[in-house]
């Protein structure tokens, strides 16, 4: 599985760049990147705890084992999002309320886990600390390793590098390459502005949709 590799630090995007995505819906961001970058929708938020946003601090663990997560908890920096590749395994929880509270108190921005958690009710009540996971189980983890910290991981079918920008809301999560983030933010803001205009038109009863007829006719439909 892993090479027991620990990379303690990495380049993080500027806070200004990250904050550009604070008010942007994940759906609009995904539209701006060809609607292909969202992770597996089975990885869901436990509750409505607000926007998930920050640089990815990546951890790879063996199925049902959280030793490397414990090590990572003291290496991550305030504002980081802990991103855990647990191989999608749901038979044992990788963390629960104690570990998540520790991370919150240390200033982390949230957690995305491609695996299971426990203490679901308590985690859902952690105000301002979004947690995303595949499922919950009372069965706890082992602490034997192996694993990796600070290396590329796979989360819900998407490769994530340390320092990628993590953005999550009620629709799901995606990860952005910081080198492309300015361009993505510009495109997303235009999409959001356009949709805001459409919504205003709908509420005023002025929304016209000629493209629907044009599309159907282009596909050979006959409209009476």
């Amino acid at each position: 599985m892993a090479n027991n590799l620990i990379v303690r630090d990495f380049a993080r995007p500027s806070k200004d760049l990250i904050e550009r995505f604070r008010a942007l819906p994940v759906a609009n961001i995904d539209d701006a990147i060809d609607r292909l970058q969202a992770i597996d929708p089975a990885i869901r938020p436990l509750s409505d705890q607000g926007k998930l946003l920050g640089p990815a601090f990546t951890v790879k663990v063996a199925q049902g084992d959280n030793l490397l997560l414990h090590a990572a908890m003291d290496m991550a920096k305030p504002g980081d999002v802990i991103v855990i590749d647990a191989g999608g395994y749901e038979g044992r929880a990788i963390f629960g309320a104690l570990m998540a509270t520790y991370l919150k108190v240390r200033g982390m921005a949230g957690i995305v886990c491609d695996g299971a958690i426990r203490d679901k009710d308590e985690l859902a009540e952690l105000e301002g600390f979004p947690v995303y996971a595949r499922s919950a189980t009372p069965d706890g983890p082992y602490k034997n390793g192996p694993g990796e910290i600070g290396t590329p991981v796979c989360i819900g079918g998407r490769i994530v590098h340390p320092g990628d920008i993590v953005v999550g809301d009620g629709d799901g999560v995606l990860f952005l390459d910081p080198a492309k983030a300015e361009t993505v933010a510009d495109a997303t803001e235009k999409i959001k502005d356009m949709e805001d205009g459409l919504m205003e038109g709908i509420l005023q009863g002025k929304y016209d949709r000629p493209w629907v007829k044009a599309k159907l006719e282009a596909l050979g439909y006959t409209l009476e």
Side-chain angles (χ1 to χ4, degrees):
M1 168 211 163
N3 296 316
N4 294 318
L5 178 62
I6 293 178
V7 180
R8 297 184 64 89
D9 206 1
F10 51 87
R12 290 168 173 80
S14 71
K15 291 183 180 179
D16 287 344
L17 178 58
I18 292 171
E19 284 300 316
R20 288 199 64 185
F21 294 93
R22 178 72 63 184
L24 298 177
V26 167
N28 287 162
I29 300 170
D30 199 45
D31 286 344
I33 47 180
D34 300 322
R35 302 178 177 179
L36 292 172
Q37 297 305 313
I39 66 173
D40 184 345
I43 301 175
R44 303 297 306 160
L46 300 188
S47 65
D48 181 11
Q49 296 290 9
K51 191 68 164 280
L52 176 68
L53 183 65
F57 189 99
T58 60
V59 186
K60 186 173 184 178
V61 299
Q63 289 187 347
D65 190 289
N66 71 358
L67 177 63
L68 270 291
L69 176 57
H70 276 282
M73 288 168 63
D74 296 314
M75 299 178 191
K77 295 183 178 181
D80 286 348
V81 175
I82 308 301
V83 177
I84 307 165
D85 177 358
Y89 182 66
E90 300 178 58
R92 291 192 177 276
I94 298 302
F95 66 91
L98 285 173
M99 295 173 71
T101 301
Y102 182 87
L103 288 166
K104 179 186 176 182
V105 170
R106 288 203 61 236
M108 306 311 141
I111 308 174
V112 179
C113 180
D114 194 347
I117 54 87
R118 65 179 180 177
D119 305 327
K120 181 179 179 181
D121 294 342
E122 294 151 278
L123 289 173
E125 294 175 357
L126 275 180
E127 185 176 352
F129 192 78
V131 175
Y132 290 70
R134 282 192 178 273
S135 60
T137 175
D139 288 341
Y142 299 111
K143 295 173 174 58
N144 301 316
E148 297 181 353
I149 296 173
T151 63
V153 297
C154 183
I155 304 292
R158 304 297 178 196
I159 300 299
V160 189
H161 295 84
D164 281 356
I165 299 173
V166 185
V167 191
D169 61 18
D171 284 344
V173 177
L174 50 74
F175 305 97
L176 302 172
D177 179 349
K180 301 176 181 178
E182 287 281 5
T183 300
V184 173
D186 289 342
T188 304
E189 287 168 354
K190 291 178 181 177
I191 292 170
K192 186 176 185 301
D193 288 344
M194 180 270 292
E195 289 198 352
D196 287 347
L198 292 175
M199 181 63 76
E200 184 177 351
I202 291 171
L203 294 174
Q204 295 176 357
K206 300 177 181 178
Y207 185 38
D208 188 22
R209 305 192 301 152
W211 69 268
V212 178
K213 180 180 178 181
K215 185 73 171 182
L216 290 172
E217 290 177 343
L219 291 173
Y221 288 91
T222 300
L223 302 179
E224 298 297 334

